[in-house]
Amino acid sequence: MFEGIRSYNNKVFRLERHVRRLFDSANGIRLTIPMTPQEMADAIVATLRANGMTDAYIRVVVTRGEGTLGLDPNRCPKPNVFIITDKIPLYPQELYENGLDIITASTMRNHPNALNPRLKSLNYLNNILAKIEAIDAGVLEAVMLNHLGFVAECTGDNIFTVREGRLFTPPIAAGILEGITRDEIIDIARGFNIPVREESLTRHDLYVADECFLTGTAAEVIPVVRIDKRTVGIGKPGPITKRLAEEFHRRTRA
Ligand code: PXG
């Protein structure tokens, strides 16, 4: 299982939430992390300090550890934990200003009763296959539908739309990761009295949106201006997207 976390200005953003999600993911696959959540949080901060980084992308990984070949996880008695602090390449700055072009992937998101997308595991083949479709189509990101044909999420980001002043995003039950950036954006929108609806979206809802954007720890908040070669809204990042992104950046530095 893993986490992707960021630090800004020497402070780890939403550290407790990330640690909680890591423990929930481990719990979901019956993997016992050999430390307490507080010890994990301390280890993350200690790694950041040891590497002398203030603005970093932090990757925490918990594996089942060494063992024999075969499927029985009990053959791996001692879990391994490692923490990397590094930089992660963002989308080019120009795309934050002008917006991203994405496609709908034909690879659907994992069925929640097979491998639940709420589990942040390093089994990303499902997402990687969709990412390959995006790259083949000449774009950088793909939106994935769920087993019912509703919009789920992108390969490493959650998705939002704006229509008539309201914010929409698929519910957790659509089979998505409970994104920490997603939660932050919902909280910011509520604070601005922008109505937020977590409801099922179809591809058509994306096409007729006034605005669209993606959220993730790595990508932060990035506008989408074209989906499947169709222009979203006026083809430029919208005012609500900009307002939410601005407040998000303010909070990361607060
Ligand atoms: N959905 C999926 C499938 C993700 O992997 C998010 C949503 C956003 O969640 P947070 O909590 O970060 O707001 C993720 C997280 C990358 C990269 O290289 C992306 C993630 C993790 C690690 C690397 O783009 N995405």
Side-chain angles (χ1 to χ4, degrees), residues 8 13-14 181 183-194 213 215 220-221 238-254:
Y8 298 91
F13 189 63
R14 302 290 177 259
T181 320
D183 279 354
E184 200 69 30
I185 289 296
I186 290 173
D187 189 61
I188 292 169
R190 292 202 169 121
F192 285 164
N193 288 320
I194 296 169
F213 62 89
T215 64
E220 301 178 308
V221 181
I240 292 184
T241 303
K242 283 188 193 162
R243 201 166 160 223
L244 295 171
E246 231 165 67
E247 175 61 11
F248 175 77
H249 290 298
R250 198 196 60 74
R251 286 190 180 191
T252 61
R253 311 235 155 236

PDB file of all heavy atoms in Angstrom, residues 8 13-14 181 183-194 213 215 220-221 238-254:
ATOM      1  N   TYR A   8       4.759  21.597   1.941  1.00  0.00           N
ATOM      2  CA  TYR A   8       4.885  22.953   1.429  1.00  0.00           C
ATOM      3  C   TYR A   8       5.527  23.781   2.519  1.00  0.00           C
ATOM      4  O   TYR A   8       5.080  23.711   3.681  1.00  0.00           O
ATOM      5  CB  TYR A   8       3.494  23.538   1.126  1.00  0.00           C
ATOM      6  CG  TYR A   8       2.697  22.805   0.061  1.00  0.00           C
ATOM      7  CD1 TYR A   8       1.837  21.769   0.413  1.00  0.00           C
ATOM      8  CD2 TYR A   8       2.761  23.178  -1.276  1.00  0.00           C
ATOM      9  CE1 TYR A   8       1.065  21.118  -0.546  1.00  0.00           C
ATOM     10  CE2 TYR A   8       2.002  22.538  -2.242  1.00  0.00           C
ATOM     11  CZ  TYR A   8       1.153  21.512  -1.869  1.00  0.00           C
ATOM     12  OH  TYR A   8       0.393  20.878  -2.820  1.00  0.00           O
ATOM     13  N   PHE A  13       1.389  18.653   4.317  1.00  0.00           N
ATOM     14  CA  PHE A  13      -0.024  18.998   4.126  1.00  0.00           C
ATOM     15  C   PHE A  13      -0.923  17.806   4.439  1.00  0.00           C
ATOM     16  O   PHE A  13      -0.781  16.738   3.845  1.00  0.00           O
ATOM     17  CB  PHE A  13      -0.243  19.480   2.681  1.00  0.00           C
ATOM     18  CG  PHE A  13      -1.605  20.056   2.432  1.00  0.00           C
ATOM     19  CD1 PHE A  13      -2.028  21.197   3.094  1.00  0.00           C
ATOM     20  CD2 PHE A  13      -2.464  19.450   1.525  1.00  0.00           C
ATOM     21  CE1 PHE A  13      -3.289  21.733   2.851  1.00  0.00           C
ATOM     22  CE2 PHE A  13      -3.727  19.990   1.282  1.00  0.00           C
ATOM     23  CZ  PHE A  13      -4.134  21.131   1.946  1.00  0.00           C
ATOM     24  N   ARG A  14      -1.840  17.996   5.380  1.00  0.00           N
ATOM     25  CA  ARG A  14      -2.841  16.989   5.780  1.00  0.00           C
ATOM     26  C   ARG A  14      -2.188  15.632   6.114  1.00  0.00           C
ATOM     27  O   ARG A  14      -2.674  14.570   5.691  1.00  0.00           O
ATOM     28  CB  ARG A  14      -3.902  16.811   4.677  1.00  0.00           C
ATOM     29  CG  ARG A  14      -4.624  18.109   4.321  1.00  0.00           C
ATOM     30  CD  ARG A  14      -5.537  18.582   5.436  1.00  0.00           C
ATOM     31  NE  ARG A  14      -6.178  19.850   5.116  1.00  0.00           N
ATOM     32  CZ  ARG A  14      -5.789  21.043   5.591  1.00  0.00           C
ATOM     33  NH1 ARG A  14      -4.757  21.139   6.412  1.00  0.00           N
ATOM     34  NH2 ARG A  14      -6.436  22.138   5.275  1.00  0.00           N
ATOM     35  N   THR A 181      -7.197  15.707  -1.714  1.00  0.00           N
ATOM     36  CA  THR A 181      -7.368  16.990  -2.400  1.00  0.00           C
ATOM     37  C   THR A 181      -8.847  17.193  -2.740  1.00  0.00           C
ATOM     38  O   THR A 181      -9.375  18.309  -2.634  1.00  0.00           O
ATOM     39  CB  THR A 181      -6.518  17.030  -3.687  1.00  0.00           C
ATOM     40  OG1 THR A 181      -5.250  16.414  -3.436  1.00  0.00           O
ATOM     41  CG2 THR A 181      -6.311  18.447  -4.180  1.00  0.00           C
ATOM     42  N   ASP A 183     -11.418  16.119  -1.019  1.00  0.00           N
ATOM     43  CA  ASP A 183     -12.075  16.550   0.224  1.00  0.00           C
ATOM     44  C   ASP A 183     -11.800  18.024   0.512  1.00  0.00           C
ATOM     45  O   ASP A 183     -12.682  18.746   0.987  1.00  0.00           O
ATOM     46  CB  ASP A 183     -11.545  15.746   1.420  1.00  0.00           C
ATOM     47  CG  ASP A 183     -12.212  14.399   1.523  1.00  0.00           C
ATOM     48  OD1 ASP A 183     -13.157  14.142   0.752  1.00  0.00           O
ATOM     49  OD2 ASP A 183     -11.781  13.592   2.375  1.00  0.00           O
ATOM     50  N   GLU A 184     -10.581  18.429   0.254  1.00  0.00           N
ATOM     51  CA  GLU A 184     -10.193  19.817   0.519  1.00  0.00           C
ATOM     52  C   GLU A 184     -10.996  20.767  -0.380  1.00  0.00           C
ATOM     53  O   GLU A 184     -11.476  21.811   0.082  1.00  0.00           O
ATOM     54  CB  GLU A 184      -8.685  19.967   0.242  1.00  0.00           C
ATOM     55  CG  GLU A 184      -8.038  21.147   0.897  1.00  0.00           C
ATOM     56  CD  GLU A 184      -7.951  21.036   2.413  1.00  0.00           C
ATOM     57  OE1 GLU A 184      -7.857  19.922   2.959  1.00  0.00           O
ATOM     58  OE2 GLU A 184      -8.005  22.102   3.057  1.00  0.00           O
ATOM     59  N   ILE A 185     -11.145  20.392  -1.649  1.00  0.00           N
ATOM     60  CA  ILE A 185     -11.882  21.223  -2.606  1.00  0.00           C
ATOM     61  C   ILE A 185     -13.367  21.300  -2.218  1.00  0.00           C
ATOM     62  O   ILE A 185     -13.983  22.366  -2.275  1.00  0.00           O
ATOM     63  CB  ILE A 185     -11.697  20.679  -4.049  1.00  0.00           C
ATOM     64  CG1 ILE A 185     -10.261  20.945  -4.521  1.00  0.00           C
ATOM     65  CG2 ILE A 185     -12.713  21.275  -5.019  1.00  0.00           C
ATOM     66  CD1 ILE A 185      -9.866  22.417  -4.648  1.00  0.00           C
ATOM     67  N   ILE A 186     -13.920  20.183  -1.774  1.00  0.00           N
ATOM     68  CA  ILE A 186     -15.322  20.179  -1.342  1.00  0.00           C
ATOM     69  C   ILE A 186     -15.489  21.118  -0.145  1.00  0.00           C
ATOM     70  O   ILE A 186     -16.424  21.919  -0.084  1.00  0.00           O
ATOM     71  CB  ILE A 186     -15.782  18.732  -1.007  1.00  0.00           C
ATOM     72  CG1 ILE A 186     -15.875  17.908  -2.297  1.00  0.00           C
ATOM     73  CG2 ILE A 186     -17.112  18.732  -0.248  1.00  0.00           C
ATOM     74  CD1 ILE A 186     -16.149  16.424  -2.076  1.00  0.00           C
ATOM     75  N   ASP A 187     -14.542  21.050   0.780  1.00  0.00           N
ATOM     76  CA  ASP A 187     -14.584  21.902   1.968  1.00  0.00           C
ATOM     77  C   ASP A 187     -14.462  23.387   1.591  1.00  0.00           C
ATOM     78  O   ASP A 187     -15.193  24.234   2.119  1.00  0.00           O
ATOM     79  CB  ASP A 187     -13.449  21.477   2.912  1.00  0.00           C
ATOM     80  CG  ASP A 187     -13.548  22.154   4.260  1.00  0.00           C
ATOM     81  OD1 ASP A 187     -14.572  21.940   4.931  1.00  0.00           O
ATOM     82  OD2 ASP A 187     -12.626  22.914   4.620  1.00  0.00           O
ATOM     83  N   ILE A 188     -13.569  23.676   0.666  1.00  0.00           N
ATOM     84  CA  ILE A 188     -13.382  25.064   0.217  1.00  0.00           C
ATOM     85  C   ILE A 188     -14.665  25.574  -0.448  1.00  0.00           C
ATOM     86  O   ILE A 188     -15.133  26.683  -0.170  1.00  0.00           O
ATOM     87  CB  ILE A 188     -12.184  25.167  -0.763  1.00  0.00           C
ATOM     88  CG1 ILE A 188     -10.854  24.903  -0.023  1.00  0.00           C
ATOM     89  CG2 ILE A 188     -12.163  26.518  -1.473  1.00  0.00           C
ATOM     90  CD1 ILE A 188      -9.646  24.727  -0.928  1.00  0.00           C
ATOM     91  N   ALA A 189     -15.243  24.745  -1.312  1.00  0.00           N
ATOM     92  CA  ALA A 189     -16.461  25.154  -2.035  1.00  0.00           C
ATOM     93  C   ALA A 189     -17.588  25.455  -1.047  1.00  0.00           C
ATOM     94  O   ALA A 189     -18.288  26.462  -1.165  1.00  0.00           O
ATOM     95  CB  ALA A 189     -16.881  24.065  -3.017  1.00  0.00           C
ATOM     96  N   ARG A 190     -17.739  24.576  -0.047  1.00  0.00           N
ATOM     97  CA  ARG A 190     -18.806  24.792   0.951  1.00  0.00           C
ATOM     98  C   ARG A 190     -18.574  26.109   1.687  1.00  0.00           C
ATOM     99  O   ARG A 190     -19.514  26.855   1.954  1.00  0.00           O
ATOM    100  CB  ARG A 190     -18.885  23.612   1.916  1.00  0.00           C
ATOM    101  CG  ARG A 190     -19.369  22.369   1.193  1.00  0.00           C
ATOM    102  CD  ARG A 190     -19.972  21.327   2.138  1.00  0.00           C
ATOM    103  NE  ARG A 190     -20.635  20.304   1.341  1.00  0.00           N
ATOM    104  CZ  ARG A 190     -20.335  19.009   1.351  1.00  0.00           C
ATOM    105  NH1 ARG A 190     -19.405  18.545   2.159  1.00  0.00           N
ATOM    106  NH2 ARG A 190     -20.987  18.166   0.577  1.00  0.00           N
ATOM    107  N   GLY A 191     -17.300  26.384   1.984  1.00  0.00           N
ATOM    108  CA  GLY A 191     -16.958  27.643   2.656  1.00  0.00           C
ATOM    109  C   GLY A 191     -17.301  28.856   1.808  1.00  0.00           C
ATOM    110  O   GLY A 191     -17.588  29.937   2.337  1.00  0.00           O
ATOM    111  N   PHE A 192     -17.285  28.695   0.494  1.00  0.00           N
ATOM    112  CA  PHE A 192     -17.633  29.780  -0.434  1.00  0.00           C
ATOM    113  C   PHE A 192     -19.135  29.792  -0.765  1.00  0.00           C
ATOM    114  O   PHE A 192     -19.563  30.506  -1.673  1.00  0.00           O
ATOM    115  CB  PHE A 192     -16.863  29.612  -1.753  1.00  0.00           C
ATOM    116  CG  PHE A 192     -15.402  29.980  -1.705  1.00  0.00           C
ATOM    117  CD1 PHE A 192     -14.538  29.567  -2.716  1.00  0.00           C
ATOM    118  CD2 PHE A 192     -14.882  30.761  -0.675  1.00  0.00           C
ATOM    119  CE1 PHE A 192     -13.181  29.908  -2.697  1.00  0.00           C
ATOM    120  CE2 PHE A 192     -13.531  31.104  -0.653  1.00  0.00           C
ATOM    121  CZ  PHE A 192     -12.681  30.677  -1.664  1.00  0.00           C
ATOM    122  N   ASN A 193     -19.896  28.922  -0.084  1.00  0.00           N
ATOM    123  CA  ASN A 193     -21.323  28.769  -0.380  1.00  0.00           C
ATOM    124  C   ASN A 193     -21.613  28.355  -1.816  1.00  0.00           C
ATOM    125  O   ASN A 193     -22.646  28.722  -2.385  1.00  0.00           O
ATOM    126  CB  ASN A 193     -22.099  30.054  -0.049  1.00  0.00           C
ATOM    127  CG  ASN A 193     -22.194  30.242   1.454  1.00  0.00           C
ATOM    128  OD1 ASN A 193     -22.392  29.271   2.199  1.00  0.00           O
ATOM    129  ND2 ASN A 193     -22.024  31.467   1.901  1.00  0.00           N
ATOM    130  N   ILE A 194     -20.698  27.578  -2.372  1.00  0.00           N
ATOM    131  CA  ILE A 194     -20.945  26.989  -3.694  1.00  0.00           C
ATOM    132  C   ILE A 194     -21.603  25.627  -3.432  1.00  0.00           C
ATOM    133  O   ILE A 194     -21.033  24.808  -2.705  1.00  0.00           O
ATOM    134  CB  ILE A 194     -19.613  26.798  -4.473  1.00  0.00           C
ATOM    135  CG1 ILE A 194     -18.959  28.152  -4.754  1.00  0.00           C
ATOM    136  CG2 ILE A 194     -19.842  26.008  -5.759  1.00  0.00           C
ATOM    137  CD1 ILE A 194     -17.517  28.055  -5.283  1.00  0.00           C
ATOM    138  N   PHE A 213     -12.328  20.217 -13.821  1.00  0.00           N
ATOM    139  CA  PHE A 213     -10.941  20.217 -13.329  1.00  0.00           C
ATOM    140  C   PHE A 213     -10.640  18.915 -12.601  1.00  0.00           C
ATOM    141  O   PHE A 213     -11.559  18.181 -12.218  1.00  0.00           O
ATOM    142  CB  PHE A 213     -10.653  21.445 -12.446  1.00  0.00           C
ATOM    143  CG  PHE A 213     -11.476  21.533 -11.184  1.00  0.00           C
ATOM    144  CD1 PHE A 213     -11.046  20.944 -10.006  1.00  0.00           C
ATOM    145  CD2 PHE A 213     -12.684  22.229 -11.174  1.00  0.00           C
ATOM    146  CE1 PHE A 213     -11.796  21.043  -8.831  1.00  0.00           C
ATOM    147  CE2 PHE A 213     -13.447  22.330 -10.003  1.00  0.00           C
ATOM    148  CZ  PHE A 213     -13.001  21.740  -8.840  1.00  0.00           C
ATOM    149  N   THR A 215      -8.214  16.924  -9.483  1.00  0.00           N
ATOM    150  CA  THR A 215      -7.518  17.193  -8.223  1.00  0.00           C
ATOM    151  C   THR A 215      -6.678  15.989  -7.802  1.00  0.00           C
ATOM    152  O   THR A 215      -7.088  14.851  -7.990  1.00  0.00           O
ATOM    153  CB  THR A 215      -8.507  17.487  -7.070  1.00  0.00           C
ATOM    154  OG1 THR A 215      -9.304  16.311  -6.835  1.00  0.00           O
ATOM    155  CG2 THR A 215      -9.402  18.666  -7.375  1.00  0.00           C
ATOM    156  N   GLU A 220      -2.301  18.680  -7.935  1.00  0.00           N
ATOM    157  CA  GLU A 220      -2.996  19.752  -7.204  1.00  0.00           C
ATOM    158  C   GLU A 220      -4.342  20.031  -7.885  1.00  0.00           C
ATOM    159  O   GLU A 220      -5.171  19.130  -7.900  1.00  0.00           O
ATOM    160  CB  GLU A 220      -2.091  20.976  -7.070  1.00  0.00           C
ATOM    161  CG  GLU A 220      -0.794  20.608  -6.322  1.00  0.00           C
ATOM    162  CD  GLU A 220       0.199  21.741  -6.182  1.00  0.00           C
ATOM    163  OE1 GLU A 220       0.538  22.363  -7.201  1.00  0.00           O
ATOM    164  OE2 GLU A 220       0.646  21.996  -5.050  1.00  0.00           O
ATOM    165  N   VAL A 221      -4.567  21.221  -8.439  1.00  0.00           N
ATOM    166  CA  VAL A 221      -5.849  21.484  -9.121  1.00  0.00           C
ATOM    167  C   VAL A 221      -5.517  21.898 -10.547  1.00  0.00           C
ATOM    168  O   VAL A 221      -4.813  22.890 -10.752  1.00  0.00           O
ATOM    169  CB  VAL A 221      -6.633  22.626  -8.423  1.00  0.00           C
ATOM    170  CG1 VAL A 221      -7.965  22.872  -9.133  1.00  0.00           C
ATOM    171  CG2 VAL A 221      -6.861  22.295  -6.947  1.00  0.00           C
ATOM    172  N   GLY A 238     -12.219  27.979 -16.052  1.00  0.00           N
ATOM    173  CA  GLY A 238     -13.357  28.809 -15.626  1.00  0.00           C
ATOM    174  C   GLY A 238     -13.107  29.543 -14.323  1.00  0.00           C
ATOM    175  O   GLY A 238     -12.164  29.236 -13.588  1.00  0.00           O
ATOM    176  N   PRO A 239     -13.996  30.498 -14.009  1.00  0.00           N
ATOM    177  CA  PRO A 239     -13.809  31.319 -12.811  1.00  0.00           C
ATOM    178  C   PRO A 239     -13.911  30.545 -11.495  1.00  0.00           C
ATOM    179  O   PRO A 239     -13.171  30.844 -10.555  1.00  0.00           O
ATOM    180  CB  PRO A 239     -14.936  32.365 -12.917  1.00  0.00           C
ATOM    181  CG  PRO A 239     -15.938  31.789 -13.862  1.00  0.00           C
ATOM    182  CD  PRO A 239     -15.166  30.907 -14.800  1.00  0.00           C
ATOM    183  N   ILE A 240     -14.793  29.555 -11.435  1.00  0.00           N
ATOM    184  CA  ILE A 240     -14.938  28.803 -10.175  1.00  0.00           C
ATOM    185  C   ILE A 240     -13.705  27.908  -9.977  1.00  0.00           C
ATOM    186  O   ILE A 240     -13.158  27.821  -8.869  1.00  0.00           O
ATOM    187  CB  ILE A 240     -16.273  28.018 -10.137  1.00  0.00           C
ATOM    188  CG1 ILE A 240     -17.429  29.030 -10.068  1.00  0.00           C
ATOM    189  CG2 ILE A 240     -16.305  27.025  -8.982  1.00  0.00           C
ATOM    190  CD1 ILE A 240     -18.810  28.448  -9.940  1.00  0.00           C
ATOM    191  N   THR A 241     -13.243  27.303 -11.044  1.00  0.00           N
ATOM    192  CA  THR A 241     -12.011  26.495 -10.969  1.00  0.00           C
ATOM    193  C   THR A 241     -10.870  27.351 -10.432  1.00  0.00           C
ATOM    194  O   THR A 241     -10.138  26.937  -9.520  1.00  0.00           O
ATOM    195  CB  THR A 241     -11.624  25.957 -12.370  1.00  0.00           C
ATOM    196  OG1 THR A 241     -12.715  25.207 -12.887  1.00  0.00           O
ATOM    197  CG2 THR A 241     -10.372  25.099 -12.311  1.00  0.00           C
ATOM    198  N   LYS A 242     -10.732  28.548 -10.982  1.00  0.00           N
ATOM    199  CA  LYS A 242      -9.627  29.432 -10.585  1.00  0.00           C
ATOM    200  C   LYS A 242      -9.735  29.829  -9.125  1.00  0.00           C
ATOM    201  O   LYS A 242      -8.738  29.855  -8.398  1.00  0.00           O
ATOM    202  CB  LYS A 242      -9.629  30.697 -11.457  1.00  0.00           C
ATOM    203  CG  LYS A 242      -9.062  30.475 -12.848  1.00  0.00           C
ATOM    204  CD  LYS A 242      -8.921  31.821 -13.550  1.00  0.00           C
ATOM    205  CE  LYS A 242      -8.674  31.656 -15.036  1.00  0.00           C
ATOM    206  NZ  LYS A 242      -8.960  32.882 -15.776  1.00  0.00           N
ATOM    207  N   ARG A 243     -10.967  30.124  -8.711  1.00  0.00           N
ATOM    208  CA  ARG A 243     -11.185  30.557  -7.336  1.00  0.00           C
ATOM    209  C   ARG A 243     -10.860  29.426  -6.353  1.00  0.00           C
ATOM    210  O   ARG A 243     -10.214  29.648  -5.316  1.00  0.00           O
ATOM    211  CB  ARG A 243     -12.658  30.968  -7.206  1.00  0.00           C
ATOM    212  CG  ARG A 243     -12.919  31.860  -6.057  1.00  0.00           C
ATOM    213  CD  ARG A 243     -14.282  32.514  -6.158  1.00  0.00           C
ATOM    214  NE  ARG A 243     -14.643  32.956  -4.834  1.00  0.00           N
ATOM    215  CZ  ARG A 243     -15.854  32.814  -4.294  1.00  0.00           C
ATOM    216  NH1 ARG A 243     -16.825  32.239  -4.973  1.00  0.00           N
ATOM    217  NH2 ARG A 243     -16.077  33.238  -3.076  1.00  0.00           N
ATOM    218  N   LEU A 244     -11.295  28.219  -6.670  1.00  0.00           N
ATOM    219  CA  LEU A 244     -11.038  27.067  -5.800  1.00  0.00           C
ATOM    220  C   LEU A 244      -9.540  26.738  -5.768  1.00  0.00           C
ATOM    221  O   LEU A 244      -8.985  26.443  -4.713  1.00  0.00           O
ATOM    222  CB  LEU A 244     -11.843  25.846  -6.270  1.00  0.00           C
ATOM    223  CG  LEU A 244     -13.374  25.977  -6.181  1.00  0.00           C
ATOM    224  CD1 LEU A 244     -14.051  24.807  -6.887  1.00  0.00           C
ATOM    225  CD2 LEU A 244     -13.838  26.059  -4.723  1.00  0.00           C
ATOM    226  N   ALA A 245      -8.894  26.816  -6.923  1.00  0.00           N
ATOM    227  CA  ALA A 245      -7.455  26.517  -6.993  1.00  0.00           C
ATOM    228  C   ALA A 245      -6.658  27.531  -6.175  1.00  0.00           C
ATOM    229  O   ALA A 245      -5.737  27.162  -5.438  1.00  0.00           O
ATOM    230  CB  ALA A 245      -6.987  26.517  -8.444  1.00  0.00           C
ATOM    231  N   GLU A 246      -7.042  28.780  -6.282  1.00  0.00           N
ATOM    232  CA  GLU A 246      -6.350  29.841  -5.538  1.00  0.00           C
ATOM    233  C   GLU A 246      -6.432  29.598  -4.025  1.00  0.00           C
ATOM    234  O   GLU A 246      -5.442  29.694  -3.312  1.00  0.00           O
ATOM    235  CB  GLU A 246      -7.045  31.177  -5.832  1.00  0.00           C
ATOM    236  CG  GLU A 246      -6.134  32.290  -6.275  1.00  0.00           C
ATOM    237  CD  GLU A 246      -6.950  33.413  -6.878  1.00  0.00           C
ATOM    238  OE1 GLU A 246      -7.711  34.056  -6.112  1.00  0.00           O
ATOM    239  OE2 GLU A 246      -6.844  33.626  -8.095  1.00  0.00           O
ATOM    240  N   GLU A 247      -7.632  29.273  -3.572  1.00  0.00           N
ATOM    241  CA  GLU A 247      -7.819  29.024  -2.139  1.00  0.00           C
ATOM    242  C   GLU A 247      -7.083  27.745  -1.715  1.00  0.00           C
ATOM    243  O   GLU A 247      -6.514  27.686  -0.614  1.00  0.00           O
ATOM    244  CB  GLU A 247      -9.316  28.943  -1.802  1.00  0.00           C
ATOM    245  CG  GLU A 247      -9.645  28.569  -0.364  1.00  0.00           C
ATOM    246  CD  GLU A 247      -9.133  29.537   0.709  1.00  0.00           C
ATOM    247  OE1 GLU A 247      -8.683  30.654   0.361  1.00  0.00           O
ATOM    248  OE2 GLU A 247      -9.174  29.157   1.900  1.00  0.00           O
ATOM    249  N   PHE A 248      -7.066  26.759  -2.599  1.00  0.00           N
ATOM    250  CA  PHE A 248      -6.326  25.528  -2.289  1.00  0.00           C
ATOM    251  C   PHE A 248      -4.843  25.866  -2.054  1.00  0.00           C
ATOM    252  O   PHE A 248      -4.253  25.443  -1.055  1.00  0.00           O
ATOM    253  CB  PHE A 248      -6.472  24.495  -3.409  1.00  0.00           C
ATOM    254  CG  PHE A 248      -5.636  23.265  -3.175  1.00  0.00           C
ATOM    255  CD1 PHE A 248      -6.033  22.290  -2.262  1.00  0.00           C
ATOM    256  CD2 PHE A 248      -4.419  23.095  -3.832  1.00  0.00           C
ATOM    257  CE1 PHE A 248      -5.243  21.175  -2.014  1.00  0.00           C
ATOM    258  CE2 PHE A 248      -3.615  21.985  -3.580  1.00  0.00           C
ATOM    259  CZ  PHE A 248      -4.034  21.032  -2.677  1.00  0.00           C
ATOM    260  N   HIS A 249      -4.266  26.664  -2.955  1.00  0.00           N
ATOM    261  CA  HIS A 249      -2.846  27.023  -2.811  1.00  0.00           C
ATOM    262  C   HIS A 249      -2.609  27.837  -1.544  1.00  0.00           C
ATOM    263  O   HIS A 249      -1.598  27.672  -0.876  1.00  0.00           O
ATOM    264  CB  HIS A 249      -2.349  27.766  -4.055  1.00  0.00           C
ATOM    265  CG  HIS A 249      -2.266  26.863  -5.251  1.00  0.00           C
ATOM    266  ND1 HIS A 249      -1.431  25.772  -5.279  1.00  0.00           N
ATOM    267  CD2 HIS A 249      -2.934  26.853  -6.428  1.00  0.00           C
ATOM    268  CE1 HIS A 249      -1.587  25.127  -6.435  1.00  0.00           C
ATOM    269  NE2 HIS A 249      -2.492  25.770  -7.147  1.00  0.00           N
ATOM    270  N   ARG A 250      -3.573  28.691  -1.223  1.00  0.00           N
ATOM    271  CA  ARG A 250      -3.432  29.479  -0.003  1.00  0.00           C
ATOM    272  C   ARG A 250      -3.388  28.543   1.218  1.00  0.00           C
ATOM    273  O   ARG A 250      -2.544  28.689   2.094  1.00  0.00           O
ATOM    274  CB  ARG A 250      -4.599  30.479   0.120  1.00  0.00           C
ATOM    275  CG  ARG A 250      -4.328  31.632   1.103  1.00  0.00           C
ATOM    276  CD  ARG A 250      -5.601  32.359   1.504  1.00  0.00           C
ATOM    277  NE  ARG A 250      -6.576  31.497   2.165  1.00  0.00           N
ATOM    278  CZ  ARG A 250      -6.485  31.043   3.414  1.00  0.00           C
ATOM    279  NH1 ARG A 250      -5.444  31.369   4.161  1.00  0.00           N
ATOM    280  NH2 ARG A 250      -7.417  30.254   3.908  1.00  0.00           N
ATOM    281  N   ARG A 251      -4.281  27.563   1.229  1.00  0.00           N
ATOM    282  CA  ARG A 251      -4.327  26.624   2.365  1.00  0.00           C
ATOM    283  C   ARG A 251      -3.053  25.785   2.475  1.00  0.00           C
ATOM    284  O   ARG A 251      -2.629  25.459   3.579  1.00  0.00           O
ATOM    285  CB  ARG A 251      -5.531  25.690   2.239  1.00  0.00           C
ATOM    286  CG  ARG A 251      -6.846  26.360   2.543  1.00  0.00           C
ATOM    287  CD  ARG A 251      -7.938  25.318   2.643  1.00  0.00           C
ATOM    288  NE  ARG A 251      -9.229  25.922   2.948  1.00  0.00           N
ATOM    289  CZ  ARG A 251     -10.311  25.228   3.300  1.00  0.00           C
ATOM    290  NH1 ARG A 251     -10.244  23.915   3.393  1.00  0.00           N
ATOM    291  NH2 ARG A 251     -11.432  25.842   3.563  1.00  0.00           N
ATOM    292  N   THR A 252      -2.494  25.409   1.340  1.00  0.00           N
ATOM    293  CA  THR A 252      -1.274  24.575   1.407  1.00  0.00           C
ATOM    294  C   THR A 252      -0.135  25.346   2.062  1.00  0.00           C
ATOM    295  O   THR A 252       0.778  24.746   2.616  1.00  0.00           O
ATOM    296  CB  THR A 252      -0.808  24.098   0.008  1.00  0.00           C
ATOM    297  OG1 THR A 252      -0.513  25.227  -0.792  1.00  0.00           O
ATOM    298  CG2 THR A 252      -1.829  23.215  -0.666  1.00  0.00           C
ATOM    299  N   ARG A 253      -0.194  26.667   1.971  1.00  0.00           N
ATOM    300  CA  ARG A 253       0.894  27.498   2.516  1.00  0.00           C
ATOM    301  C   ARG A 253       0.525  28.069   3.887  1.00  0.00           C
ATOM    302  O   ARG A 253       1.341  28.758   4.496  1.00  0.00           O
ATOM    303  CB  ARG A 253       1.227  28.637   1.568  1.00  0.00           C
ATOM    304  CG  ARG A 253       1.421  28.168   0.155  1.00  0.00           C
ATOM    305  CD  ARG A 253       2.766  28.577  -0.431  1.00  0.00           C
ATOM    306  NE  ARG A 253       3.137  27.650  -1.495  1.00  0.00           N
ATOM    307  CZ  ARG A 253       4.256  26.961  -1.543  1.00  0.00           C
ATOM    308  NH1 ARG A 253       5.164  27.090  -0.612  1.00  0.00           N
ATOM    309  NH2 ARG A 253       4.499  26.134  -2.536  1.00  0.00           N
ATOM    310  N   ALA A 254      -0.682  27.785   4.350  1.00  0.00           N
ATOM    311  CA  ALA A 254      -1.143  28.384   5.596  1.00  0.00           C
ATOM    312  C   ALA A 254      -0.545  27.670   6.802  1.00  0.00           C
ATOM    313  O   ALA A 254      -0.254  26.496   6.727  1.00  0.00           O
ATOM    314  CB  ALA A 254      -2.662  28.364   5.671  1.00  0.00           C
TER     315      ALA A 254
END
